[in-house]
Amino acid sequence: MAVSYDGARVATVGEDRFVRVWRTASGAEDSSSTRARSAILSVCWLKSGRLVTGHNDSTLTVWTDELRSEQVLKRHRSAVNCLASSNNGKYFASSAGKEILLWDAQRMIILKRLAGHQARVNKLAFSKDSTLLASAATRNDGSRQSELIVWRLP
């Protein structure tokens, strides 16, 4: 689930492959809901108003305001389980397994591959000033140890 930057909409996604957008003022579902080509595991709004979804087939989909698929990005090697976007609108980040990709949110190109986790990344968050990206992972080896890495952005 993700709330738009203006607070007017909430996007929900799921393994049923549906992207649904809801109006926060009324609680009503937008008529623009649509079905993706594969199960959706993550979602984030970009400051531009576009929506990005992460899928179990290792792809990302960039959606227009009307929930039309604008672009499919195939850069990960496994399911895309986390997404986050920066407050300044410059970046978004995606994670699949132990790998994080930092994206240019305007040009939809990878700026940097971030590696360093020993376990699957399960949380991403940008600092309010968009200069840092925090990533967290929890080991599934019985120890349940957590890892946190804070990355400086360009």
Side-chain angles (χ1 to χ4, degrees):
M1 178 173 12
V3 178
S4 63
Y5 276 86
D6 62 6
R9 298 173 291 171
V10 174
T12 59
V13 298
E15 291 187 16
D16 64 358
R17 305 186 314 181
F18 275 97
V19 180
R20 291 182 172 88
V21 175
W22 308 81
R23 296 282 170 192
T24 55
S26 65
E29 184 177 351
D30 258 0
S31 59
S32 58
S33 297
T34 191
R35 192 164 185 175
R37 56 194 204 110
S38 63
I40 307 168
L41 305 178
S42 52
V43 62
C44 75
W45 289 97
L46 300 180
K47 198 156 190 174
S48 66
R50 293 180 291 178
L51 197 61
V52 179
T53 53
H55 301 261
N56 71 343
D57 67 356
S58 74
T59 63
L60 296 162
T61 303
V62 182
W63 303 88
T64 65
D65 278 344
E66 299 81 32
L67 284 185
R68 289 190 180 87
S69 177
E70 180 179 291
Q71 192 173 7
V72 176
L73 307 170
K74 300 177 184 181
R75 298 292 185 261
H76 281 288
R77 293 178 273 253
S78 61
V80 181
N81 61 303
C82 289
L83 288 166
S85 60
S86 65
N87 289 323
N88 66 5
K90 285 182 165 181
Y91 311 112
F92 75 95
S94 59
S95 70
K98 300 173 188 176
E99 178 182 64
I100 302 163
L101 299 180
L102 180 66
W103 296 83
D104 179 308
Q106 301 302 313
R107 298 181 294 158
M108 296 299 155
I109 60 169
I110 297 169
L111 297 173
K112 199 168 197 176
R113 289 182 185 274
L114 305 172
H117 281 286
Q118 302 302 308
R120 182 177 74 96
V121 176
N122 53 23
K123 299 281 188 235
L124 295 169
F126 284 90
S127 61
K128 188 171 184 163
D129 66 1
S130 302
T131 61
L132 304 172
L133 172 66
S135 57
T138 304
R139 293 183 186 210
N140 268 345
D141 61 4
S143 70
R144 305 296 294 160
Q145 287 184 323
S146 296
E147 307 169 340
L148 176 71
I149 299 176
V150 178
W151 312 88
R152 286 215 176 273
L153 302 180

